[in-house]
Amino acid sequence: MITATQIRGARAMIGMSLEELAATSGLPVETVAALEKGDFAGEPHALFDVRSTLEAHGIIFLSSGNQDEGGPGIRLRARTSNDDGIRPENLNAANDD
């Protein structure tokens, strides 16, 4: 389970707007906004869709047991090549892998 704070932080970390996250995950903006406020009721797959979208953009969700101290968190996946990749603001369907 991920938290509303993790969703907001992950979106901010990759520079994705609320509208971009909604469009990329295939959800209404209102649903994504509700998830970011901690309202996990509604469509059961919405949280999964948001998490999958953020993970596809390089986010790793950390549970409270993944670190020596602290609670749930987020981090960016390490790059595995020398390629700088595509900046978040340049991501679109045309350059999807």
Side-chain angles (χ1 to χ4, degrees):
M1 181 66 132
I2 62 175
T3 67
T5 304
Q6 285 176 298
I7 296 170
R8 288 190 309 271
R11 187 172 59 75
M13 184 178 278
I14 59 175
M16 183 179 273
S17 72
L18 185 68
E19 293 77 15
E20 289 171 323
L21 179 55
T24 307
S25 63
L27 297 167
V29 173
E30 297 78 17
T31 300
V32 176
L35 291 174
E36 286 195 355
K37 291 178 184 170
D39 182 5
F40 297 114
E43 299 180 55
H45 69 287
L47 191 59
F48 175 80
D49 291 344
V50 166
R51 180 180 184 144
S52 297
T53 299
L54 292 168
E55 287 175 338
H57 284 83
I59 295 294
I60 297 172
F61 289 94
L62 305 170
S63 66
S64 58
N66 286 354
Q67 301 296 318
D68 293 335
E69 56 185 63
I74 56 172
R75 64 183 270 184
L76 285 172
R77 184 177 359 187
R79 295 197 187 268
T80 57
S81 70
N82 293 336
D83 181 10
D84 283 339
I86 301 171
R87 304 263 330 141
E89 62 270 12
N90 296 328
L91 291 172
N92 59 48
N95 56 35
D96 250 358
D97 286 337

